[in-house]
Amino acid sequence: MKNSMREKLAQIDRRQYEIDHMLQQPDVTSDINNYRKLTKEHAEITPVATAYQQYLQTENDIESATEMLADPDLKSFATQEILEAKDKLEQLTLELQTMLLPKDENDDRNILLEIRAGTGGEESALFAANLLRMYTRYAERARWQVEIMSESPSDLGGYREVIVRIAGANAYAKMKFESGGHRVQRVPETESQGRVHTSACTVAVMPEADEIADVNINPADLRIDTFRASGAGGQHINKTDSAVRIVHIPTGTVVECQEGRSQHSNKATAMKILVTRIKDAQIRVQQASEAATRKSLVGSGDRSERIRTYNFPQGRITDHRVNLTWYKIDAMLDGDLDEMFNALAAEYQAEQLAALGDAG
């Protein structure tokens, strides 16, 4: 273990001891905010401190077993003890490295999921609907809430664009690697000669922004227009200017919303989408810089990159970043995504560990 890592772990170990002592004081709950802060920090660092204590104990075990090597009667036993302890030390080192990786501050946020049809016309729009169902089914399995915020349906029941809010524990942590280009290869329902067509959609996963805390928007930088909503909705939709379009002039970000029945609700939804998109753009600039530094593929934040292919004739889904293929397309399109999400998270973690090694 590198000295820099050992020093950091020793600091965490000392800090845990300090917090233990503070939490035992009789007046610790007199300042409830400070108490919550201490208990949260304690919960976060205790697993690290525990693993570090196990590491130190294993080092001591190796030292004791090494002393026993001088005794012929104990040499065989001691040799076996040393081998097992060294294996454990290696495993603990990796675990501790992983625990020390920087946390993504957005991991516990809810998300806005944006799916846009790309090349392929109606077939692309139908694929966008397939992707929406896939993510919705996954969210249901995770007991997350899904709410459509904005939609632009196509003529055959697909989506030219759809934005949904997904709320639940670690939603961004689980789904943040879905941003990018998704390609589908299949025979469209409208294809009479049975030829396989290739279409594409773009997916964007954005951590939901806190309108007040995360993005500072000057009202003078906004142009807000109202217009009559179009589409299904009966007489109400034709009589009122309930639809809202907001333009953020400095960034050129445009958001339209007409799902709600009132101008007020549409404006609130459009503002939530707007600030989330602006915050997301800031995150992507940061991700692109980090990705360039460590040649990251999984966490690059590049929406133009083709990340996955869904091949219906062969029944397979291939993620090009981790170079893995799964032959269970029906199950995965029905929301069975844990295996793929875990593979992406593991690859990203490996990239972070490699970067940590390079830096050290």
Side-chain angles (χ1 to χ4, degrees):
M1 183 186 286
K2 291 176 181 172
N3 285 335
S4 57
M5 184 174 165
R6 192 182 286 270
E7 286 168 14
K8 191 167 186 180
L9 288 165
Q11 284 175 359
I12 290 171
D13 195 44
R14 287 194 296 272
R15 179 61 180 162
Q16 193 220 19
Y17 179 79
E18 286 172 9
I19 297 174
D20 272 340
H21 180 69
M22 285 188 273
L23 289 174
Q24 287 167 13
Q25 300 308 305
D27 60 344
V28 67
T29 54
S30 59
D31 183 345
I32 198 67
N33 287 331
N34 187 52
Y35 175 71
R36 283 183 184 142
K37 190 177 170 185
L38 286 173
T39 52
K40 184 172 185 261
E41 186 183 354
H42 188 265
E44 286 171 355
I45 66 174
T46 294
V48 186
T50 302
Y52 180 55
Q53 286 297 328
Q54 288 175 349
Y55 182 91
L56 294 176
Q57 182 58 53
T58 306
E59 279 189 326
N60 288 336
D61 292 344
I62 291 173
E63 200 174 307
S64 301
T66 303
E67 290 173 2
M68 288 193 287
L69 288 172
D71 187 333
D73 295 334
L74 296 174
K75 187 174 181 180
S76 176
F77 170 76
T79 303
Q80 185 63 30
E81 284 281 298
I82 291 168
L83 285 172
E84 288 176 6
K86 282 185 174 177
D87 282 345
K88 187 178 178 183
L89 215 57
E90 202 173 304
Q91 184 186 337
L92 283 166
T93 301
L94 191 60
E95 283 178 18
L96 285 163
Q97 278 182 325
T98 304
M99 287 174 170
L100 290 178
L101 289 175
K103 301 283 190 294
D104 187 333
E105 62 182 19
N106 296 308
D107 273 354
D108 59 353
R109 288 189 183 238
N110 301 325
I111 63 169
L112 295 194
L113 171 70
E114 184 178 281
I115 305 171
R116 286 187 181 184
T119 54
E122 277 292 345
E123 170 61 11
S124 175
L126 289 169
F127 180 50
N130 294 147
L131 290 176
L132 176 63
R133 182 181 183 278
M134 176 178 81
Y135 293 129
T136 301
R137 296 284 288 132
Y138 179 78
E140 287 170 2
R141 291 169 185 236
R143 301 184 187 279
W144 295 341
Q145 293 178 319
V146 181
E147 168 197 358
I148 290 184
M149 300 192 75
S150 173
E151 60 182 332
S152 176
S154 72
D155 295 336
L156 296 181
Y159 291 101
R160 285 186 284 274
E161 178 185 288
V162 60
I163 302 172
V164 297
R165 177 179 183 264
I166 298 179
N170 298 313
Y172 185 69
K174 284 283 188 184
M175 290 191 59
K176 62 183 172 183
F177 302 123
E178 289 304 286
S179 294
H182 294 241
R183 185 176 69 168
V184 62
Q185 296 171 323
R186 66 181 173 188
V187 179
E189 293 175 22
T190 53
E191 169 60 58
S192 58
Q193 298 180 34
R195 290 175 299 187
V196 173
H197 287 231
T198 299
S199 305
C201 288
T202 303
V203 172
V205 177
M206 302 172 285
E208 185 178 41
D210 182 322
E211 209 171 305
I212 299 165
D214 290 343
V215 181
N216 185 18
I217 291 181
N218 184 343
D221 289 338
L222 298 177
R223 189 174 76 241
I224 302 175
D225 302 316
T226 58
F227 56 98
R228 290 191 181 179
S230 58
Q235 291 180 343
H236 162 83
I237 236 159
N238 297 320
K239 285 184 177 178
T240 62
D241 289 348
S242 60
V244 174
R245 180 189 298 110
I246 303 179
V247 180
H248 184 243
I249 297 164
T251 61
T253 308
V254 182
V255 176
E256 287 186 7
C257 189
Q258 57 180 336
E259 305 311 306
R261 290 183 63 83
S262 75
Q263 191 183 113
H264 177 75
S265 66
N266 282 329
K267 183 180 175 184
T269 300
M271 276 300 295
K272 184 175 279 293
I273 295 171
L274 181 77
V275 293
T276 295
R277 279 184 178 166
I278 292 171
K279 179 180 172 63
D280 177 63
Q282 295 167 353
I283 291 169
R284 279 192 285 153
V285 169
Q286 183 184 342
Q287 284 177 334
S289 171
E290 290 171 358
T293 303
R294 66 169 185 262
K295 297 183 175 60
S296 171
L297 286 174
V298 179
S300 67
D302 184 357
R303 302 283 158 77
S304 63
E305 178 197 359
R306 191 188 78 212
I307 63 168
R308 193 172 301 144
T309 297
Y310 303 71
N311 186 301
F312 277 74
Q314 295 176 18
R316 65 174 169 82
I317 293 180
T318 299
D319 195 289
H320 306 293
R321 296 162 297 177
V322 288
N323 199 25
L324 287 174
T325 297
W326 294 268
Y327 287 91
K328 51 175 187 177
I329 194 168
D330 290 339
M332 292 175 83
L333 285 171
D334 197 40
D336 183 7
L337 299 173
D338 277 327
E339 191 180 337
M340 181 163 63
F341 284 0
N342 290 341
L344 289 163
E347 177 69 16
Y348 183 61
Q349 198 174 78
E351 284 179 354
Q352 285 184 300
L353 285 169
L356 199 68
D358 293 343

